[in-house]
Structures are given as C-alpha cells and as structure tokens.
Amino acid sequence: MTRTTPPRNSSNHGPAGSNAGSPVRIARWCGLGLLMVAAGCTFGPPGTSQAAAQDRARNVILFVGDGVDDSQLTIGRNYLLGADGAFSFDDFPHRAAAKVLTVEEESPDKPQYVGDSASGGTALSAGVVTSRGRIATTAGSDEDVVTILELAEAAGKRTGIVTTASLTDATPASFVAHISRRFCEGPMDMDGARGGTMPGCPEDKKSNGGPGSIAEQIADADVEVLLGGGKRHFDQADEGGANLIDKMKERGYAVVENAVQLSSLAEDTEKVLGLFGSSTLPVEWSGENQLRARPVKLSSDGQPEPVEPFSCVENPAFGERPTLEAMTRQALALLTAGDGGEGFFLMVESASIDKQAHAANPCGQIGETQALDDSVKAVLEFAMGRDDTLIVVASDHGHSPQIVPYPSMFAGGPVPQPQYPPGKLAVLETLEGSLMGISYGSNKLGIEEHIGTQIPVFASGPGAERVRGLMRQSDVFDVMREAMGLPRERK
Ligand SMILES: [Zn+2]
C-alpha cells in the first residue's frame, strides 16, 4: 500500500543559520573524559559564559536522529516535503554545525575521524569525547562519566528513553549505562554465552565487581519511561538467576508489548517498560517490491545499465507496534502526569535512519526520518504556549548515502560515457515527479560505513540560544545541563 502524499510545507526558507567560524580550540588531551573536567575542558558553545543566568528549562527533550547528517536530511526532505520543503525542526530558531570528535582507545590523544553511536551518544549524554564502542566511559582509562539523565534524576526530575532500537543499543545505553563495550547488551553477552566472544564484557560482570550488562544496568536504574525494542536482552536471567523483566515488574514497572497496551496504560502509571520487539523495531517504510540500492551493472559494451526507479511504500512488516510518535506522546503523558513533579528529561531516538543506511535502503531511512519529524511535531504540540521546555534535535554521526545526479551530469559528453558511482545506487521517484539518485559509496557490496562529517543541531526553548555557529557535539550536554540548572557532577 502506497503512502498517501505527506502534506507539503510551503514555507519559503532563506539560507540556514550562519556558521560563524568562531575560534576553535584544539585540545587533543580532551579525549580523556575526567581530564576534561579536571582541566576545565568542559567547553560551552562560543561566547556563552553568561548563558547559565538565563531562564531555566524545567523540561528537556533531546531527539537523536541516528546517523543523520545534512545529506540524510536532504534525502528525506526532498522525498517527503519537496526540494524547497522544511522539517518541523528546520523552523527552530537556533541551529549549529557540530564537530563529531572521537579518539583512539589505545591512544586517547589521537583523534579518529569517524564516530559511532556509542562515542556520539556519550558525547551527547555526558559531554565527553571517547572512543568508538564505549558507553559513558572514558577512552583508555575506563572511568564512568555522569550522564544528563542521571543528573536530571538526581535533581528529582522524571526521566525517559524512547527508541526504535533495542533499549540496550548504543544511543539509549549511553544515557543510562556505563560499560566499555556497546555489545555487552544482556547478561548472556557477558561471557559469550550467546555465541560471540564479546571481548571486554567479562570484566564488567557483577561477579567481577563490574556494573553488569547494559540491560542489568537499565533494570537497576530508576528511569520512569523506557520504550523501545530489545526484549531478548531483558528476557534473560542475571547472575543471581532472576529474569530481568520479572525483576523490573517487582520494582514497579508496568510491562507492555504492543500499541494497544501502551495506549491503555493508566494515567497514574509511575514506571513503564515497553518492549515492542525482540531487537530493533521494524521500520515504517520500505522500497516498492523491497527494492533498495544495488551496484550499477555494466552491459557488454561497458555502458552502465539503466537503474529501475522506485517509490517508497508502507512496510508490511511494521505490524501493530507503536510508532515513534505514539511512543513519544505516551512518554510525554506519563512524564507530566499529576503535578508533573520537578519536570523531566526525555531522549527520543529515531535509530533506523542509521541502520537502514547501513543496509543501503533509502526508503527505510526516509520513513524513519519522517518518524523523527512526526515525533518532533508531537513535542512541539506539547511545548506550544510553554516557555519551560528546551527541545534539541541532534545526531551522533554522519552516514554514507549521498545524492548524486541521475542521469549522470556527464551523460551525452564531453566525457565519453555516463559516470556512475562505484558503490550502490538507488533511484527514487519523488512526490514531485522527479528522480533522485542516492549513492551508497562507502562499501561496494557489504554493509555501509559511517562517515566523518559534522552533524546538525537544532534547538528551541530556554537555553537554545547557545546552539549556534560551530560547536562540539559534546557541547550539547552542557547546553541541556545549564538550561536545567544542573551541576556538572552528581551530588
Ligand atoms: Zn551505524
């Protein structure tokens, strides 16, 4: 079934916010998280030292579009809204470009130029530059670093995590857990019982004095709203033999597993664990006939064969699971129930923009980008008329797909033959009636790679003015923290 045409956004946008080129300090040793703190390496965005005195945010909602860079946004925007369209967050009053800083595990003074969801998640959640694969811990020294969710909780705020990935996946884990390896997701991962060797996990077992797997750490935390996938990581026994789901029920969690159960939760539900799939949740869209990008074939005369254009359709495998928007709306309802307490911190991740980019599936990506936009709109509805809610839309790292001309710009000469990218190519028939070529060029045949590029940050609400120019991804942590008036360390 083909999606109905999304409403066009007719707003006419001028150039995006300026990239003012403020002075950039190079601090290679800032890869050591605790050193960052000790050495005053907790940078705010340029020229913002007085920002803490501004109005405070009672609530902060952070959206993470996983793998979202300007190319991914442009692909989604072109298809969903037209080349001159705009996402809801494109209209936010403040925006910046953010550097994705990552360091080598063995030599934390050396940068790596491509991050992952663990290092990017830790930058956002804890304001610390670390190595790939690390969850809220420092590169080389394996020290835990406090997260914005933990600071909010310590200040008496309610907290929530919403994701289309497993709740134990790198981005959500970075806000709740501390572990050296992102793949130590459940108790059975800790000693390789699920098949993999999972280096680094055994050291973090509780019986070895560690904090346990990510799922165990989530079970031990007191996050009010946990909605996502990854049931298989919770439906396991910990070292004491207790099933984690049962353990969380005993600790007062209502456990729900489908959209009806989620929407039927009592208003006074204090804590909820929503596990809507075994692992990553199915995506909302797929390509017509399951088409995705594929290597360009050459005919016998060496000419590239035409690529069959296709459109995006609803993914029949999505099933009755709640959408990201539905999860976001329910999270807001639960986090604000009653008198709303001291406010809340909520992280919402559209995870499969990344995962579908790895799979060279543009329609999967585009549908999840729409899910991100729909969820931001739901939060904007909540925030309408309020002046106490900071909304930030950010990303963890860039990804491989990019828009290329189709047909080739050089078709017809003067270059002798049309040029096509060496990787995989998809050609989408857009709602505007044009063709959009999308190249996945980071790997010829297998899984696509992340790429090293700056990522966009959008912000609205109290403290949002600190998002401007060229900042560091890790500055987003301080923007959120200072907006809520929280200390740098947990008391
Ligand atoms: Zn990825």
Side-chain angles (χ1 to χ4, degrees):
M1 178 169 46
T2 305
R3 277 261 170 178
T4 51
T5 306
R8 290 286 170 82
N9 185 328
S10 60
S11 57
N12 186 18
H13 291 265
S18 69
N19 188 347
S22 302
V24 177
R25 288 159 290 186
I26 307 279
R28 309 186 82 182
W29 43 267
C30 284
L32 292 167
L34 292 186
L35 268 182
M36 285 181 71
V37 179
C41 200
T42 56
F43 308 108
T48 56
S49 58
Q50 303 303 314
Q54 304 300 315
D55 290 342
R56 291 276 158 82
R58 175 179 159 85
N59 314 309
V60 170
I61 300 147
L62 170 66
F63 286 92
V64 179
D66 202 304
V68 164
D69 57 29
D70 285 344
S71 284
Q72 315 323 313
L73 287 181
T74 309
I75 290 168
R77 192 188 291 121
N78 283 350
Y79 192 91
L80 296 163
L81 303 159
D84 195 30
F87 291 115
S88 58
F89 44 86
D90 281 320
D91 285 331
F92 280 14
H94 302 281
R95 65 187 296 161
K99 294 175 284 185
V100 176
L101 302 180
T102 314
V103 294
E104 289 186 7
E105 172 66 17
E106 303 304 329
S107 305
D109 59 334
K110 285 188 182 170
Q112 284 198 315
Y113 299 113
V114 180
D116 76 340
S117 292
S119 58
T122 297
L124 295 169
S125 72
V128 166
V129 176
T130 193
S131 58
R132 287 197 302 246
R134 280 199 166 276
I135 301 294
T137 51
T138 56
S141 50
D142 195 26
E143 301 285 345
D144 292 358
V145 286
V146 72
T147 73
I148 190 73
L149 182 144
E150 292 165 338
L151 291 174
E153 190 174 73
K157 293 182 183 293
R158 298 174 186 174
T159 54
I161 296 285
V162 171
T163 180
T164 50
S166 295
L167 283 161
T168 50
D169 202 31
T171 304
S174 297
F175 289 80
V176 192
H178 305 272
I179 204 158
S180 58
R181 303 286 177 132
R182 60 180 289 182
F183 298 112
C184 309
E185 291 186 74
M188 291 174 70
D189 297 317
M190 301 305 281
D191 50 16
R194 268 202 315 132
T197 53
M198 304 291 172
C201 297
E203 292 91 317
D204 282 320
K205 286 175 73 170
K206 286 189 175 180
S207 56
N208 289 333
S213 65
I214 292 167
E216 289 168 272
Q217 293 187 51
I218 292 173
D220 288 340
D222 206 25
V223 180
E224 278 83 0
V225 176
L226 292 163
L227 304 175
K231 182 181 176 185
R232 68 191 175 111
H233 301 297
F234 290 89
D235 197 10
Q236 295 181 17
D238 64 14
E239 291 184 71
N243 178 282
L244 293 182
I245 296 175
D246 293 340
K247 198 170 171 179
M248 291 179 77
K249 282 180 182 169
E250 284 169 18
R251 291 181 177 176
Y253 279 90
V255 177
V256 294
E257 297 193 9
N258 58 50
V260 173
Q261 289 175 351
L262 177 67
S263 61
S264 305
L265 282 170
E267 278 181 23
D268 61 351
T269 302
E270 290 186 1
K271 292 192 286 189
V272 61
L273 171 65
L275 293 169
F276 305 109
S278 170
S279 184
T280 303
L281 302 182
V283 294
E284 297 197 27
W285 285 15
S286 64
E288 245 176 325
N289 302 318
Q290 300 296 319
L291 285 169
R292 55 183 66 189
R294 63 170 177 77
V296 175
K297 289 182 185 159
L298 296 180
S299 57
S300 55
D301 62 356
Q303 293 292 308
E305 291 183 358
V307 176
E308 180 189 357
F310 60 92
S311 298
C312 301
V313 296
E314 289 182 345
N315 178 17
F318 184 75
E320 298 303 315
R321 297 180 173 90
T323 61
L324 186 66
E325 178 192 351
M327 290 194 283
T328 303
R329 287 186 183 279
Q330 186 60 282
L332 290 173
L334 294 171
L335 291 170
T336 57
D339 64 1
E342 299 296 319
F344 66 86
F345 170 79
L346 171 65
M347 193 286 291
V348 178
E349 182 199 23
S350 184
S352 288
I353 301 170
D354 164 85
K355 295 180 192 306
Q356 296 298 304
H358 281 301
N361 184 6
C363 288
Q365 281 187 259
I366 291 168
E368 298 308 291
T369 308
Q370 171 147 311
L372 173 68
D373 194 34
D374 289 344
S375 304
V376 174
K377 287 177 187 166
V379 165
L380 286 171
E381 275 178 36
F382 163 80
M384 193 177 296
R386 307 180 70 113
D387 59 4
D388 63 353
T389 301
L390 171 65
I391 309 168
V392 179
V393 179
S395 166
D396 47 1
H397 55 76
H399 224 302
S400 54
Q402 53 187 319
I403 301 169
V404 295
Y406 188 87
S408 164
M409 280 202 311
F410 301 109
V415 176
Q417 66 181 43
Q419 306 296 303
Y420 288 99
K424 286 156 269 184
L425 179 68
V427 177
L428 294 187
E429 284 178 329
T430 68
L431 298 170
E432 297 179 299
S434 297
L435 296 179
M436 175 165 58
I438 303 174
S439 165
Y440 295 77
S442 64
N443 196 333
K444 194 168 183 182
L445 295 173
I447 188 171
E448 294 294 329
E449 299 251 34
H450 300 167
I451 62 157
T453 183
Q454 62 196 27
I455 49 100
V457 183
F458 309 83
S460 177
E465 66 281 355
R466 302 188 63 213
V467 171
R468 66 186 183 88
L470 180 64
M471 56 194 294
R472 294 182 178 85
Q473 186 182 39
S474 50
D475 293 332
V476 172
F477 166 81
D478 278 320
V479 168
M480 299 187 294
R481 183 180 63 76
E482 293 193 7
M484 288 189 281
L486 302 177
R488 186 67 176 78
E489 296 297 323
R490 189 161 32 174
K491 288 177 181 167

